């Protein structure tokens, strides 16, 4: 048997769960992640879900390939292989998130702005929000600026002004994608404690 990979989280996590994804990609992989998200821990906790394929830890590049994303090439080149997939559980709901790390802030920033056109399409299933067909106009909606804990975030809002998706540079190295301000606040708090 292959050794179980070791992984440290980008931010502090209460639990670490290995999710074997051998032979999965696209919608089957998304369903597997959504099922794992549904099982996630107690209120106030963050669960780090690390993916393995044939006993090997799945990094950012492989993850983006498996999800068949529309990531701009300049952004893809700026990312390291570090990745954190997580779930933050509040009292009444769960919020999936992903953190990518970059080695080139300028290219990552420009790349994220350009990815905004397809970001909702690439991540709505992963985040477990409504389906693309339930709100097809959301893909054409423009992102807006929002200040969270003195950091600039870019948010995609639904017609009722609730947040469908957001991303934020936690610092010049870490990019968080999620669907809730509460998740950003918790991740920032934990990142400051590290």
């Amino acid at each position: 048997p292959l050794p179980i990979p070791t992984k440290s989280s980008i931010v502090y996590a209460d639990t670490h769960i290995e999710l074997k994804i051998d032979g999965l990609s696209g919608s089957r992989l998304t369903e597997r992640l959504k099922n794992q998200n549904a099982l996630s821990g107690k209120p106030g906790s963050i669960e780090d879900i690390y993916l393995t394929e044939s006993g090997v830890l799945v990094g950012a590049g492989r993850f983006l390939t498996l999800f068949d994303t529309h990531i701009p090439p300049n952004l893809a080149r700026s990312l390291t292989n570090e990745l954190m997939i997580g779930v933050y559980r509040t009292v009444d709901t769960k919020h999936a998130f992903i953190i990518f790390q970059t080695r080139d802030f300028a290219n990552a920033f420009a790349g994220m702005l350009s990815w905004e056109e397809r970001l909702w399409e690439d991540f709505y299933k992963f985040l477990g929000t409504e389906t693309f067909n339930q709100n097809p106009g959301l893909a054409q909606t423009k992102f807006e600026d929002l200040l969270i804990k003195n950091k600039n975030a870019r948010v995609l809002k639904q017609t009722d002004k609730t947040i469908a998706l957001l991303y934020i540079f936690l610092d010049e190295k870490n990019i968080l994608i999620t669907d809730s301000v509460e998740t950003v606040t918790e991740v920032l708090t934990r990142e400051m404690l590290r």
Side-chain angles (χ1 to χ4, degrees):
L2 294 169
I4 295 173
T6 58
K7 179 179 183 299
S8 62
S9 299
I10 294 173
V11 297
Y12 174 77
D14 300 289
T15 57
H16 304 272
I17 305 293
E18 177 185 12
L19 190 61
K20 296 176 183 180
I21 60 162
D22 298 329
L24 299 178
S25 64
S27 61
R28 290 178 57 217
L29 176 56
T30 302
E31 282 304 312
R32 184 81 185 267
L33 272 170
K34 281 173 55 176
N35 291 341
Q36 180 59 47
N37 293 353
L39 300 173
S40 294
K42 62 182 191 234
S45 67
I46 286 184
E47 182 175 275
D48 176 15
I49 303 167
Y50 63 97
L51 308 180
T52 60
E53 190 174 39
S54 301
V56 176
L57 197 60
V58 172
R62 182 70 178 140
F63 172 83
L64 291 163
T65 299
L66 288 168
F67 266 85
D68 195 26
T69 64
H70 300 91
I71 186 170
N74 63 327
L75 176 56
R77 285 189 302 273
S78 80
L79 296 179
T80 71
N81 212 28
E82 292 299 312
L83 166 74
M84 181 177 180
I85 299 167
V87 178
Y88 172 58
R89 182 171 181 157
T90 62
V91 173
D92 56 347
T93 190
K94 299 170 186 170
H95 299 282
F97 67 88
I98 186 163
I99 300 174
F100 294 107
Q101 288 191 333
T102 180
R103 59 183 149 265
D104 183 345
F105 176 76
N107 271 330
F109 186 79
M112 287 302 297
L113 288 173
S114 157
W115 199 9
E116 286 182 1
E117 294 178 14
R118 306 292 291 271
L119 202 56
W120 168 249
E121 181 182 342
D122 285 346
F123 285 104
Y124 75 92
K125 290 179 192 171
F126 166 75
L127 294 172
T129 53
E130 60 190 298
T131 67
F132 195 70
N133 292 335
Q134 285 176 309
N135 198 344
L138 200 52
Q140 282 75 44
T141 305
K142 299 291 182 201
F143 276 72
E144 303 172 16
D145 292 322
L146 179 68
L147 197 61
I148 305 173
K149 296 283 186 182
N150 290 326
K151 295 192 178 284
N152 292 317
R154 298 281 292 160
V155 299
L156 183 65
K157 292 184 179 177
Q158 301 190 53
T159 53
D160 66 0
K161 300 299 180 193
T162 58
I163 294 173
L165 175 77
L166 73 85
Y167 71 88
I168 185 170
F169 281 83
L170 301 170
D171 52 32
E172 290 197 359
K173 184 172 142 181
N174 295 293
I175 308 163
L176 170 68
I177 300 172
T178 189
D179 65 349
S180 82
V181 172
E182 294 89 355
T183 303
V184 174
T185 302
E186 182 65 20
V187 167
L188 282 168
T189 300
R190 289 172 183 241
E191 184 185 49
M192 291 167 130
L193 296 174
R194 289 192 85 193

